[in-house]
Amino acid sequence: MNNKNKNDLFFSLSEDKISICLFSSISGNLKKCSNFQFSDNFENDLNFNVIKNLLYDKIKIFEKDNRILIFNGILTIKSKKLETIKVCYKSIFDKKKLDLQDIAKFLKGGINEFVNNVENFEILHILIRKYIVNGKEYFNLPNDIRSDEIIFEIDFFCLEKKFFKKVQNLFKACNIQLTQIMSSEYSKKFASKTDISDCIAARKALEETNLSEVEIIKNTDKNRGLYDKIFGLFD
């Protein structure tokens, strides 16, 4: 009994409800979903142990009912602790053709600057909303264009760091490793009125190839920037 190779586990967390969803890792179809509410707001620190015990019990029941063992999963959050921070960056060029390496280097610098100045938030997602080149707006990076400047409009989907750690501790106490924490604001465009859980939109969002998303990894070398590499856009 395990969840490796055959199934994908998603959790959703809102102020007063948690969902556990089991998807087929092959077809992507929802196989089982369990929703349960708790009596008070999760954001109230006094409720942590009550909710932890409830979640632990519900996970054990879900495992037994579906003949699996849950070791890890992806969590999507709907909370007032989420915040989308919009930032514009402007880079000056020398009337030359836009070089992808120069753009990637500029974006890394901008992201590092943002991270260093927003200490109270954990970044969950980064999306480039648009590029402005020669006064024209593009939703994908334009090719073969010469310009003396380029403007990036970027959305940082963030979660308060204290709340981020609280969520991690909740699932850690239930012996669950969260492989990713997502913002419901990020995935809401994939939601349907018929969805029985926010997990469904979250999975759809991960399946969709988003060319505007900046994928980042944390650098363990403290002598270098917190975010060192940007993937997906310039490979």
Side-chain angles (χ1 to χ4, degrees):
M1 299 193 327
N2 60 69
N3 68 321
K4 295 180 180 179
N5 302 322
K6 297 181 181 180
N7 304 302
D8 294 328
L9 267 297
F10 280 71
F11 300 88
S12 71
L13 171 66
S14 62
E15 292 182 352
D16 62 352
K17 185 173 72 174
I18 294 179
S19 294
I20 310 173
C21 288
L22 181 70
F23 295 88
S24 167
S25 58
I26 299 174
S27 67
N29 293 333
L30 177 64
K31 300 171 68 174
K32 183 71 174 181
C33 182
S34 175
N35 298 309
F36 54 95
Q37 290 186 298
F38 29 92
S39 58
D40 203 351
N41 196 316
F42 173 67
E43 295 174 9
N44 182 347
D45 290 338
L46 297 177
N47 298 322
F48 182 86
N49 286 329
V50 174
I51 295 172
K52 177 198 70 176
N53 293 334
L54 176 62
L55 176 59
Y56 182 87
D57 290 342
K58 294 295 183 180
I59 288 174
K60 292 305 174 186
I61 293 172
F62 194 89
E63 288 179 326
K64 182 178 179 180
D65 289 346
N66 295 280
R67 297 182 58 80
I68 61 172
L69 293 176
I70 303 175
F71 301 104
N72 51 58
I74 294 172
L75 173 68
T76 181
I77 293 180
K78 181 184 290 183
S79 170
K80 295 177 182 178
K81 305 292 185 180
L82 290 166
E83 187 165 346
T84 302
I85 302 174
K86 299 180 181 293
V87 180
C88 283
Y89 294 109
K90 181 177 180 180
S91 180
I92 304 298
F93 294 87
D94 187 21
K95 290 288 184 182
K96 63 180 182 180
K97 183 178 177 180
L98 297 182
D99 186 283
L100 295 184
Q101 291 184 345
D102 289 340
I103 294 173
K105 182 178 180 180
F106 170 73
L107 278 177
K108 288 178 186 179
I111 290 171
N112 273 312
E113 181 182 1
F114 178 87
V115 170
N116 291 333
N117 287 281
V118 186
E119 297 180 352
N120 295 326
F121 288 95
E122 188 76 21
I123 300 173
L124 304 182
H125 315 278
I126 302 174
L127 288 181
I128 302 177
R129 285 298 180 190
K130 66 177 68 171
Y131 307 83
I132 302 176
V133 184
N134 296 326
K136 296 182 179 180
E137 295 183 355
Y138 300 87
F139 294 99
N140 294 309
L141 183 67
N143 296 320
D144 299 322
I145 288 183
R146 297 180 181 274
S147 177
D148 58 349
E149 69 176 33
I150 182 170
I151 298 173
F152 303 88
E153 292 188 6
I154 300 179
D155 287 354
F156 292 87
F157 294 83
C158 304
L159 181 64
E160 287 185 14
K161 189 160 288 187
K162 182 178 178 181
F163 190 75
F164 179 86
K165 292 180 179 178
K166 180 181 178 181
V167 169
Q168 284 187 317
N169 289 336
L170 173 67
F171 282 84
K172 184 177 180 180
C174 297
N175 301 315
I176 302 295
Q177 178 185 2
L178 294 177
T179 56
Q180 184 173 354
I181 298 178
M182 302 177 62
S183 165
S184 62
E185 287 297 306
Y186 168 82
S187 58
K188 68 180 182 181
K189 72 175 183 177
F190 298 95
S192 169
K193 292 182 179 179
T194 59
D195 288 348
I196 60 175
S197 168
D198 290 338
C199 296
I200 297 173
R203 181 175 174 85
K204 289 178 182 177
L206 290 183
E207 288 179 336
E208 185 79 9
T209 300
N210 193 338
L211 297 178
S212 297
E213 182 166 8
V214 177
E215 185 179 353
I216 52 181
I217 63 169
K218 291 187 177 182
N219 191 342
T220 56
D221 185 351
K222 294 183 180 180
N223 294 322
R224 303 173 68 185
L226 177 60
Y227 293 102
D228 184 54
K229 290 188 177 181
I230 300 179
F231 297 98
L233 291 172
F234 309 109
D235 291 348

